[in-house]
Amino acid sequence: MRTSKVANDTLRDRIAEGIAANVKAYNVPAICMRAGIQESVEPSDADEAFRSRRVYVKNRLVQLDQPALLRIAAAVLEEFDIPNLAEVVSELTVHAAHRITEITRRDILKVLNRCETLFNDVDLFEGLNIFSSEHLSYDGIDNDLNFLPSLAKDIAQHYIRNPDYSTEEILIRCGALTCSQTSFFALLEKLLHPVVRRGEEQVDLATQLNAVLRPDGFRAVVIGAQSMHPIYAVQRIGAGVAGTVKNLIFASVGPKPELVLRDAVSNDIEITKHADMCLVFDRPLPTSGLAWLDMAQWWQERQGLAELKSARQSLGERLKRSVELSHSPGEYAIFRTYHEVFGPKLGDRLPALIPQVYLHYDPFTQAERVQLGKDRVLVRQRMDFLMLLDGHVRIVIEVDGLQHYAEGGRASPAQYARMVEEDRRLRLQGYAEHAWRSQDDTQAGFIDLVLQNQYDTAVMVVECKRVRDADWLFLSSTGTARSRAHCKGWVSHYREESFKFFGWEDFTVDPQTPEASFCVIRGQDANGRRPMLERVASEVVASTEALALQEKALHVPPSSRPFRLYFNVIVTTAPLLVAQFEPASISLTEGTLDGASFTVVPFLRFRKQLLDAFMPADLLDYQNDAVGGSRESTVFIVNAEHLADFLQEFEVSEQSARKFI
């Protein structure tokens, strides 16, 4: 199943064979009707099915096209476990558009050839049968009277008993170069499974495989954990932006350059005026993306500098000048902080943060268009910052000032709409945000903001909510607003070749705040399936857990970051009020509360059962009411005006953290 397109007749055969193998003849017509193969059952259908179940099914599939066959296949797979059919469906859907080349397959086999043992403690035939073109079995391989050749006998003689074949040769003989992409990826996921290898060996193999898979747009990523060991899956890297970088014009320090298209066929441009006011990166872009080292080496050659160190310093000053001339404190803060924080950590691997990049080009300035009565055709011609990463991934960083959403100092819906339209256009082109997906694949989304302390030991996953004319009113089950120091956060701690902690744990954290388990928001539909804050808080908790899982491999040596805490935060523009009341004053018939007092607070803890997953418990847990507590999560709710105060005061108590270190 090597080709990128599987014949429809193969799909028909797999559907027919799957039903024939799993269904009694007298039930075949009914199953066919339920799967959408036929609309009704005729009296003669039973006799036809008894003659041949497979032929009965295939006769009714002959006239159907691929979309109809795929719908039927999906319905059949919901009823029965048919691996061969699932593989074909995967080839026609998940792996139809994006495939790895034979070059990549061969390079992967060379990586695997360096493994001391392929499947370690897992049986060799069990692992090879994941993709082997011939089922491998130990039955009969030691029978001297069995003279029939078989792949299993060949492997036993020349690989298990004698080292005549290399691992690469065995994999090729089993069909690693010709099997489906689904099966090939299943092989890689088995080799990375913690049952086969763990610790440094697992991480090292994943790193080597990713180096080979990356040019084809795939990588092995951590999607979960088993007994606190990472589970890997081969997934498509974000598609990135189509096309290659041809003209990188950046770091403007003056008037807009004037361009001519010297060769329209080759897309060659020439700057005819103000060439000294910008920079043009004229080297081919490395496949791994554009790093600060690449730019420094380019600048060294361009300026004829003897030392790379002086080139780094000179280029840094030139880029800094461009940022300063933007007259944006936000842009300057990003540029300075990026290099101060990540430069020492990443060194030569630091992605280049390219300022003032021309994304679009209009030969007229905005003022000239107004003067000539011409319509405005480009909302945004320059990007504040651009990063070019591996896999055609381009990250645009825009610092939105007043001019992005206001005119004349007043909020402008039209101006804001133009900005949103441009952002959407960039996303449709492939410029990406940081995405997350829950371990059970039931939730997914984008993280608004990830904050970390200067020691890389504490992380806040932040969701931002802007509301209008709405207060958030919080209540506790006891009716009090007493301050609490406890909260639940995620702990990742790798020590002595294993994770000692990898999950949600209770901490003592400053600042102490009121804690509530209920929230009332004016205008919220009382008949809604789930209150707004609970839904948002649940997504924040899921995104925090997903981020921790994504970063799990980063804690394993040779990483120097074995310990990390994660916390859930929602920042809102809504005023936060905490109610104090007598629980007995709540009317059970009217659903009203009388005699309550309300206190405005800058931030608080919202603690509730927000996770759907059930935590293991025993009888003692039920007696101690620990089941509900084990499923509770803490989300800090912060009023936007007090975010700086919250960050300043936030600190995990040393005594509380000591038990996790």
Side-chain angles (χ1 to χ4, degrees), residues 89-138:
V89 170
S90 181
E91 289 294 295
L92 289 170
T93 53
V94 177
H95 298 293
H98 305 287
R99 306 186 64 79
I100 61 173
T101 64
E102 181 178 333
I103 296 173
T104 296
R105 291 197 186 210
R106 289 186 179 277
D107 287 345
I108 286 174
L109 299 192
K110 287 178 170 55
V111 169
L112 300 179
N113 199 50
R114 297 195 290 267
C115 294
E116 187 173 343
T117 55
L118 193 58
F119 294 101
N120 288 332
D121 294 336
V122 173
D123 179 72
L124 177 65
F125 282 4
E126 177 187 335
L128 294 176
N129 276 327
I130 292 172
F131 69 98
S132 179
S133 56
E134 178 182 321
H135 182 73
L136 305 177
S137 172
Y138 293 102

Side-chain angles (χ1 to χ4, degrees), residues 19-60:
I19 292 177
N22 288 277
V23 182
K24 299 292 185 183
Y26 52 80
N27 286 328
V28 167
I31 289 295
C32 286
M33 188 172 71
R34 194 158 68 205
I37 298 174
Q38 62 188 77
E39 294 182 357
S40 60
V41 177
E42 302 297 330
S44 60
D45 287 351
D47 290 338
E48 184 183 351
F50 268 105
R51 287 194 292 273
S52 173
R53 288 168 285 182
R54 190 186 67 83
V55 173
Y56 176 93
V57 176
K58 191 169 181 182
N59 284 343
R60 286 155 177 78

Side-chain angles (χ1 to χ4, degrees), residues 22 37 54 108 133 167 186 218 279 286 295 316 337 349 371 435 440 452 458 497 501 589 593 601 609 619:
N22 288 277
I37 298 174
R54 190 186 67 83
I108 286 174
S133 56
T167 297
F218 290 90
L279 301 179
M295 292 201 68
T337 304
R349 296 183 295 112
Q371 185 178 359
D440 58 6
Q452 69 178 25
E497 299 184 351
F501 295 95
T589 56
L593 173 62
V601 296
Q609 293 185 25
L619 181 60

Side-chain angles (χ1 to χ4, degrees), residues 536-598:
V536 174
S538 175
E539 291 175 356
V540 174
V541 173
S543 66
T544 301
E545 187 169 305
L547 178 63
L549 288 168
Q550 288 176 8
E551 293 189 343
K552 184 173 185 180
L554 301 179
H555 302 290
V556 178
S559 169
S560 60
R561 193 180 70 188
F563 180 71
R564 202 157 162 91
L565 309 176
Y566 299 80
F567 299 95
N568 314 298
V569 180
I570 295 175
V571 177
T572 177
T573 56
L576 309 178
L577 288 81
V578 176
Q580 298 187 70
F581 59 93
E582 288 292 335
S585 65
I586 299 176
S587 172
L588 299 181
T589 56
E590 300 293 333
T592 58
L593 173 62
D594 295 324
S597 61
F598 303 96

Side-chain angles (χ1 to χ4, degrees), residues 2 6 90 149 155 247 334 469:
R2 191 56 210 296
V6 179
S90 181
I155 292 173
N247 303 306
I334 288 176
D469 302 326

